[in-house]
Amino acid sequence: MIAGIIGGTGQMGRFFAGVFQTAGWETVVSGRRTELTNRDVAEMADLVLVSVPIRATAEVIREIAPLLSEDQVFCDLTSLKVEPVRAMLASRAEVIGLHPMFGPGVASLRGQTIVATPARCSQETLDTLLSVFREQGAEITISTPEDHDRMMAVIQGLTHFVTLAKAEAIRRTGTDIAESLHFTSPIYRIEMGLVGRILAQDAGLYGDILQMNPAVPEVLARFEEAVLALREIVESGDADRFQEFFAANAAHYASYLVSATEETDDLINHVVSGR
Ligand SMILES: NC(=O)c1ccc[n+]([C@@H]2O[C@H](COP(=O)([O-])OP(=O)(O)OC[C@H]3O[C@@H](n4cnc5c(N)ncnc54)[C@H](OP(=O)(O)O)[C@@H]3O)[C@@H](O)[C@H]2O)c1
């Protein structure tokens, strides 16, 4: 079997080429400067996997979709699923959207989650593909493109927005980061670690995740309301209102509070012991 990876010179493309090679597949790759073109790869491969930046994905899929036959499988790794899956369905191929919920720095698939959104394929094709990932230790979550993108608006969109908004707010306070770390508590260090981690990476992926998911503005509107409501309660100085706000949220998260505390205790102990 041949896996053809379009964007196979990029970070995730290289990682998944390794995954298919480990599973005994032959791989062929294209980038913008490779000898093989996207079209060559689309014509050679049994399974075509698109792994290009989110903004370029629909165009690249549209370029190769007419070349694919019903005997081929069309997949992508895009962090959003509605638009790429819709574009892949314009081909005659079997279509399975994928979103790895990790970055290219992981050592292997062990313990990592991949969301799969099968859109047009036989059970056999789906099982064959997913067994490549499962046999290397990945967990698979099956979803639809729509549910995936709504979930990602919270899981990635809101999370990255809050982290970046916090970075900007701290910058606006004029706080010196190095100096602040001398006053650090373990939680501040972990949260600043997340700020530093995102800012050390390429802006493009985060911009695309925030700007290209149509479900993000709705989630950000709820966040803005929450910020204004909480700010008003804080500035009111009214302890009862703060208790009420806190209790409403503790009730909403009730089933998660014990495991959240245990997991973050582990993280804190790790941070403290590493200093
Ligand atoms: N990075 C992550 O943490 C992560 C996690 C989950 C999912 N993803 C998804 O994985 C996909 C790829 O992300 P990445 O981080 O691997 O990006 P990347 O490192 O920037 O790689 C992008 C690849 O796409 C190629 N490319 C760009 N425009 C192209 C075009 N028009 N035609 C053909 N190839 C083109 C680049 O080729 P050149 O060699 O010519 O530059 C490169 O090989 C994205 O859809 C992203 O949403 C990323």
Side-chain angles (χ1 to χ4, degrees), residues 6-13 30-34 38 50-54 56-57 59-60 63 77-80 99-104 156 201-202 205-206 209:
I6 293 183
T9 50
Q11 303 183 83
M12 293 303 279
S30 64
R32 285 167 298 185
R33 287 173 290 275
T34 49
N38 296 346
V50 176
S51 179
V52 301
I54 299 177
T57 298
E59 194 188 323
V60 168
E63 176 198 349
L77 295 181
T78 321
S79 304
L80 299 174
H99 180 195
M101 299 303 303
F102 53 85
Q156 297 196 317
Q201 294 175 56
D202 177 46
L205 178 63
Y206 293 98
I209 284 173

Side-chain angles (χ1 to χ4, degrees), residues 181-251:
L181 292 174
H182 293 303
F183 292 75
T184 196
S185 67
I187 291 292
Y188 179 71
R189 200 165 183 96
I190 289 168
E191 298 232 350
M192 284 308 279
L194 298 174
V195 169
R197 187 179 171 81
I198 195 171
L199 293 175
Q201 294 175 56
D202 177 46
L205 178 63
Y206 293 98
D208 286 359
I209 284 173
L210 281 161
Q211 294 180 320
M212 299 199 65
N213 182 345
V216 160
E218 179 66 31
V219 172
L220 296 189
R222 299 290 85 75
F223 180 65
E224 194 174 354
E225 287 165 17
V227 167
L228 291 176
L230 180 57
R231 181 178 175 194
E232 202 268 307
I233 291 169
V234 167
E235 290 180 354
S236 76
D238 185 332
D240 291 341
R241 287 183 65 204
F242 189 81
Q243 288 280 350
E244 211 177 293
F245 174 94
F246 207 91
N249 278 285

Side-chain angles (χ1 to χ4, degrees), residues 2-271:
I2 302 178
I5 304 181
I6 293 183
T9 50
Q11 303 183 83
M12 293 303 279
R14 282 200 305 271
F15 180 87
F16 273 84
V19 167
F20 282 98
Q21 284 157 9
T22 301
W25 292 47
E26 195 181 319
T27 55
V28 286
V29 303
S30 64
R32 285 167 298 185
R33 287 173 290 275
T34 49
E35 206 171 303
L36 290 178
T37 64
N38 296 346
R39 296 172 74 87
D40 295 334
V41 166
E43 281 167 354
M44 291 163 78
D46 301 296
L47 181 143
V48 177
L49 181 66
V50 176
S51 179
V52 301
I54 299 177
R55 273 174 208 271
T57 298
E59 194 188 323
V60 168
I61 291 175
R62 278 196 288 272
E63 176 198 349
I64 55 174
L67 307 173
L68 299 189
S69 75
E70 50 280 350
D71 298 329
Q72 289 171 289
V73 185
F74 207 178
C75 299
D76 74 311
L77 295 181
T78 321
S79 304
L80 299 174
K81 293 273 61 84
V82 171
E83 201 192 355
V85 168
R86 192 183 296 139
M88 289 192 292
L89 284 171
S91 72
R92 283 171 297 155
E94 296 192 86
V95 171
I96 303 170
L98 299 168
H99 180 195
M101 299 303 303
F102 53 85
V106 299
S108 76
L109 284 182
R110 188 144 307 280
Q112 304 296 341
T113 298
I114 298 176
V115 180
T117 62
R120 182 178 63 214
C121 63
S122 69
Q123 191 61 43
E124 191 190 347
T125 299
L126 185 61
D127 291 344
T128 303
L129 175 63
L130 297 187
S131 70
V132 168
F133 307 139
R134 285 191 173 122
E135 280 167 15
Q136 293 178 48
E139 300 284 333
I140 306 294
T141 297
I142 302 285
S143 184
T144 64
E146 291 73 18
D147 284 350
H148 168 277
D149 285 8
R150 269 194 297 274
M151 202 55 116
M152 283 313 127
V154 173
I155 291 173
Q156 297 196 317
L158 181 59
T159 302
H160 300 327
F161 185 88
V162 171
T163 303
L164 290 169
K166 182 191 289 180
E168 173 70 6
I170 293 174
R171 189 169 73 89
R172 286 179 186 229
T173 64
T175 306
D176 182 272
I177 304 306
E179 191 190 349
S180 80
L181 292 174
H182 293 303
F183 292 75
T184 196
S185 67
I187 291 292
Y188 179 71
R189 200 165 183 96
I190 289 168
E191 298 232 350
M192 284 308 279
L194 298 174
V195 169
R197 187 179 171 81
I198 195 171
L199 293 175
Q201 294 175 56
D202 177 46
L205 178 63
Y206 293 98
D208 286 359
I209 284 173
L210 281 161
Q211 294 180 320
M212 299 199 65
N213 182 345
V216 160
E218 179 66 31
V219 172
L220 296 189
R222 299 290 85 75
F223 180 65
E224 194 174 354
E225 287 165 17
V227 167
L228 291 176
L230 180 57
R231 181 178 175 194
E232 202 268 307
I233 291 169
V234 167
E235 290 180 354
S236 76
D238 185 332
D240 291 341
R241 287 183 65 204
F242 189 81
Q243 288 280 350
E244 211 177 293
F245 174 94
F246 207 91
N249 278 285
H252 187 76
Y253 290 86
S255 64
Y256 176 57
L257 300 184
V258 172
S259 66
T261 306
E262 285 169 1
E263 280 177 26
T264 48
D265 277 349
D266 284 349
L267 207 54
I268 287 169
N269 289 333
H270 191 71
V271 166

